[in-house]
Amino acid sequence: MHLAYPAVLAALLFCIGLYGVLARRNAILVLMSVELMLNAVNLNLVAFDVWLRDTLHSGQALTLFTIAIAAAEIGIGLAIVLAVYRNRGTSDIDRLRDTAETDDAEKLPDSAGTDDADVTVPTPGRADEETGKTKKAEATT
């Protein structure tokens, strides 16, 4: 068997996986593309092991190690994607870029051109808490 056939197939699989990583927006499809890339590497390892006729079969042993690492990676990756989906409601990668948490009040620049840069606008949750406290205080009296 020629080495070119599995090498070309592995190159095609790797290119398809690379395209999937770069072009997809869904996190699960990106994880599937990474797995496709890892399988292309595994195919190359086994093909070169057979072609070199290695007595230790180090390519196949490394392939088994790579499969174990890939299984752990996909388990952790899916757990992270599910946790993000539960918190955010989407698994779209472009919408998950702003994952930093914000403070209770956001600082806005002054649009009138004055030097008062510390203008704060309370968030709606803060006002709801204050009205809830006053309603609770009125209800207890």
Side-chain angles (χ1 to χ4, degrees):
M1 182 168 121
H2 295 288
L3 182 62
Y5 298 131
V8 168
L9 179 63
L12 287 174
L13 285 175
F14 193 84
C15 289
I16 292 169
L18 185 65
Y19 173 75
V21 167
L22 295 177
R24 298 293 177 187
R25 296 177 191 266
N26 191 349
I28 295 175
L29 292 177
V30 170
L31 285 174
M32 288 175 58
S33 298
V34 169
E35 289 296 320
L36 193 62
M37 292 168 61
L38 286 173
N39 285 331
V41 170
N42 288 340
L43 181 62
N44 264 336
L45 285 171
V46 171
F48 276 99
D49 183 49
V50 169
W51 185 65
L52 293 174
R53 293 188 174 103
D54 188 16
T55 57
L56 295 176
H57 299 292
S58 57
Q60 293 177 18
L62 191 57
T63 299
L64 289 175
F65 180 72
T66 307
I67 290 171
I69 294 296
E73 174 258 334
I74 199 70
I76 292 171
L78 281 176
I80 291 171
V81 167
L82 287 175
V84 167
Y85 182 76
R86 285 182 183 166
N87 288 336
R88 298 282 180 146
T90 184
S91 63
D92 190 10
I93 294 175
D94 289 337
R95 292 184 183 173
L96 298 177
R97 291 185 188 202
D98 54 342
T99 56
E101 295 182 14
T102 58
D103 293 335
D104 288 338
E106 297 177 4
K107 293 188 177 190
L108 299 174
D110 191 18
S111 60
T114 60
D115 291 335
D116 296 331
D118 291 333
V119 177
T120 59
V121 177
T123 59
R126 186 65 143 180
D128 293 339
E129 290 175 5
E130 292 173 3
T131 57
K133 288 178 184 176
T134 56
K135 288 181 182 179
K136 188 176 181 181
E138 291 173 358
T140 57
T141 58

